[in-house]
Amino acid sequence: MKYAFYPGCSLEASSAAYARSIEAVCRALGIELVEVDDWNCCGATEYHSLHRLTAAAVIARNLALVDQQLTQLVAPCAACFLNLKKVDHQMADEPAWADKVNAALAAGGLHYQPGRVKVRHLVEVLHSDVGKEGIQARVKKSLAGLKVAPYYGCQIVRPFKDWDNPEYPMKLDELMSWVGAEVVPYPTKAACCGGHMTQISEAQAYELLRRLLQSAVDAGADVILCMCPMCQLNLDAYQSAVNSYFGTNYRMPILFFTQVLGLAFGLSLKELGFGSEIVAALPVLRQKVPAVLAAAKS
């Protein structure tokens, strides 16, 4: 299986563990990810509010750069995934708008035909293309004993509804159950983490994060699994600030789903980027799945 790959800015710095674990898991599954040559930032969420055409052209440039031999683009970040998919849909739905975007791209010698590239998130690829049998065939150590709260966030499942339920998505839940983990009911799994709200209103941002953390605690989760760099960063990096603000004592490890999936595949802790998280995960894993952790160290 071969896909174009748009890593996005976060995977080169704050979410390096996500990048490493994606590479390791995909290698183990025989998935080839071909990084888009000379890709640029997707503009995150703010750029659209400043200048729609410029923002769309910046995003469409990445689509235009996808190798002509490849028709599917994997984006592991929620904002990147949504931006790429949204611009492709807007260009397809509004031909006159597509002409304007392509006029901007023409300045760089590029052109994008709407619909040529299908934008997908890695969870969908693993769930739908690899499938249950393919995932389970790679499992070396069951994650039985580990309770996980899958967190999707708000952007990956909205506004598009073509790959999971936008209110109560289940594909990551099913993926983790295939490797033996106990998936706890997590009612806030598609709620917003606040994005960049910490830079605008700390009180509102911390409340959004508190709800997510408390929901996981109430469900009995050992860890929260993320599929977006911003969500992971907010829940991990600001957890101590939430504790200070509300007088709580959360100690919830926040990991990327690929890190935990890789443990079931028998991959090493180094390969999967463990140790870079702020709330340490290894003490919890050592307690809940000692055999899995021991195998990952070897």
Side-chain angles (χ1 to χ4, degrees), residues 79-97:
C80 299
F81 168 79
L82 179 58
N83 281 340
L84 290 161
K85 190 163 184 171
K86 180 167 59 178
V87 167
D88 181 46
H89 276 250
Q90 287 177 344
M91 291 180 70
D93 292 341
E94 304 175 53
W97 172 249

Side-chain angles (χ1 to χ4, degrees), residues 33-109:
L33 298 176
V34 181
E35 186 171 329
V36 175
D37 186 43
D38 196 33
W39 60 268
N40 56 263
C41 176
C42 77
T45 55
E46 293 85 351
Y47 204 10
H48 290 277
S49 64
L50 300 176
H51 197 287
R52 187 190 178 207
L53 179 57
T54 306
V58 164
I59 296 164
R61 179 179 181 274
N62 295 304
L63 296 169
L65 289 171
V66 172
D67 189 317
Q68 291 297 312
Q69 303 303 312
L70 300 173
T71 60
Q72 298 188 68
L73 176 64
V74 174
C77 166
C80 299
F81 168 79
L82 179 58
N83 281 340
L84 290 161
K85 190 163 184 171
K86 180 167 59 178
V87 167
D88 181 46
H89 276 250
Q90 287 177 344
M91 291 180 70
D93 292 341
E94 304 175 53
W97 172 249
D99 289 342
K100 292 182 179 180
V101 175
N102 273 318
L105 293 179

